[in-house]
Amino acid sequence: PLQPVMRSPLEFRRRGGGFNPVSAIFGAGQQGVLYDPSVMSSLFRDDAFTIPVTAADQTVGGMLDLSGNGNHAIQADASKRPILRNSGALWWLEFDGIDDFMSTAAIDFSGTDKLALWAGVTKLDDTARIVAELSADTNGNEGSFYMVTGTNGGFTQAYTSMSRGAAHITTLQTAVYTGAPAPDTAALTITHDISGDLSTIKRNGVAGVNGTFDKGTGNFGNYPLYIASRAGTGVFFNGNLYPLIIAGALYDADTVAKMNAWTAQKTGVAL
C-alpha cells in the first residue's frame, strides 16, 4: 500500500516555528490524521497518488496523512476536488461549498473515547457547513463527531463541534463558539471526551462554551472521515482549510499550547 511521504522533524520545525507536531501528537502511536497543505509534496492531482501537485491553483485529488497512520484523503471525481491556494507563507485548500470534498477509508478510533482536534479554517458564509465528520452522519452513528461552521442547532455565526457515544444526539453535547460572523479565519482547538461527558472549543485561543451533557458509553468508532461535507452528499464547506489534525488522545497543557501556536501560524492568525 501507499506509504506517506513523511517530512523530517527539521522541515516541520522550519515550516511550523520550531515545533514538530508529528512526534508531539503521534509519537506514542496515537491513531489519527495530520493534513498540511503547506507541505506540497503531500498533495497529488489524482486519487491514485501518481501526479504530484507542483504549484498553487492546481486541484487536489489525493492528500497524504503526515501523521504516519496512513489515513490518506482522496477525491476520485475531478469535478469535486478542492484547489490548492497560496498567499505569502500561507497555503490552504479551497472548497467551493457546492460539491467539493475529500474522504478517507475507515479510521479505527475504537481504542479510545477521547479525541483532540486542531484546524485552521476560513468560513465564507454562515450557512451550516461541515469541516470534518467521522462517519456518514453523527446523528445516526454512535462513536462519531462533527465540526461545523455557521449557524447550527440554533447557534448563530458559530463554530460548533459535538460528539457522542451510545447516547442519543442533543445540542447540549455540543461545544460552541458564537459571535464570529463570516468571513472569518480561525485556528480551532477542540477536544472530545465521551466518558467525561465533555466537549470543548477555542477560536484563536479564546474559549467558547463547553458541551457537558451525557454522551453515553463506548468509544469512538471505525468510520471514514469526511472532509468538507456530510458523506459527500451535502452540507458542503464553503471556505479554506489550512492544517487539519485529529488524534485519538488528550494532551497536557504545554503540548496543547504549542500545537495551538503551530496551527495559528499555519492559518495566519494571532493568539
Side-chain angles (χ1 to χ4, degrees):
L2 180 70
Q3 295 299 313
V5 179
M6 293 299 297
R7 313 316 298 171
S8 69
L10 177 61
E11 179 159 352
F12 269 107
R13 288 195 294 270
R14 184 167 63 247
R15 290 175 174 267
F19 176 68
N20 177 14
V22 175
S23 59
I25 303 302
F26 300 101
Q30 294 90 337
Q31 179 63 281
V33 303
L34 192 160
Y35 305 120
D36 182 359
S38 75
V39 181
M40 191 180 296
S41 61
S42 72
L43 305 177
F44 291 79
R45 301 291 306 274
D46 63 327
D47 60 303
F49 297 86
T50 61
I51 307 172
V53 169
T54 57
D57 306 321
Q58 295 179 355
T59 57
V60 177
M63 180 164 56
L64 293 177
D65 168 22
L66 298 172
S67 75
N69 286 298
N71 298 315
H72 312 311
I74 65 168
Q75 174 50 263
D77 187 332
S79 69
K80 298 179 180 181
R81 291 171 178 165
I83 301 172
L84 178 66
R85 301 294 194 192
N86 164 252
S87 177
L90 300 179
W91 294 83
W92 64 90
L93 297 185
E94 177 185 279
F95 292 87
D96 66 5
I98 299 171
D99 59 4
D100 291 354
F101 76 98
M102 302 187 80
S103 63
T104 71
I107 301 175
D108 189 2
F109 283 109
S110 62
T112 183
D113 71 345
K114 295 168 176 48
L115 288 180
L117 300 86
W118 290 268
V121 301
T122 295
K123 60 172 179 170
L124 298 180
D125 61 33
D126 273 313
T127 300
R129 298 184 182 275
I130 285 178
V131 176
E133 184 165 28
L134 184 68
S135 86
D137 189 338
T138 302
N139 292 283
N141 292 299
E142 298 178 5
S144 57
F145 77 86
Y146 65 60
M147 184 191 328
V148 173
T149 65
T151 299
N152 175 44
F155 305 113
T156 60
Q157 300 177 342
Y159 295 97
T160 55
S161 188
M162 72 84 57
S163 67
R164 70 183 183 101
H168 182 73
I169 193 169
T170 169
T171 56
L172 297 176
Q173 298 158 337
T174 306
V176 183
Y177 189 102
T178 58
D184 183 70
T185 299
L188 301 174
T189 304
I190 293 165
T191 67
H192 294 297
D193 184 345
I194 292 175
S195 61
D197 297 326
L198 180 64
S199 293
T200 71
I201 189 168
K202 289 185 178 181
R203 171 192 170 270
N204 299 342
V206 178
V209 177
N210 295 344
T212 58
F213 198 74
D214 177 34
K215 296 180 181 296
T217 59
N219 290 346
F220 286 96
N222 184 16
Y223 301 115
L225 177 70
Y226 292 92
I227 301 168
S229 79
R230 169 159 285 167
T233 61
V235 204
F236 293 101
F237 178 56
N238 180 27
N240 307 332
L241 179 64
Y242 303 84
L244 173 63
I245 303 91
I246 304 170
L250 298 180
Y251 298 87
D252 62 81
D254 181 65
T255 300
V256 170
K258 290 176 179 176
M259 194 68 204
N260 293 352
W262 184 88
T263 305
Q265 187 261 346
K266 293 278 185 175
T267 309
V269 300
L271 299 183

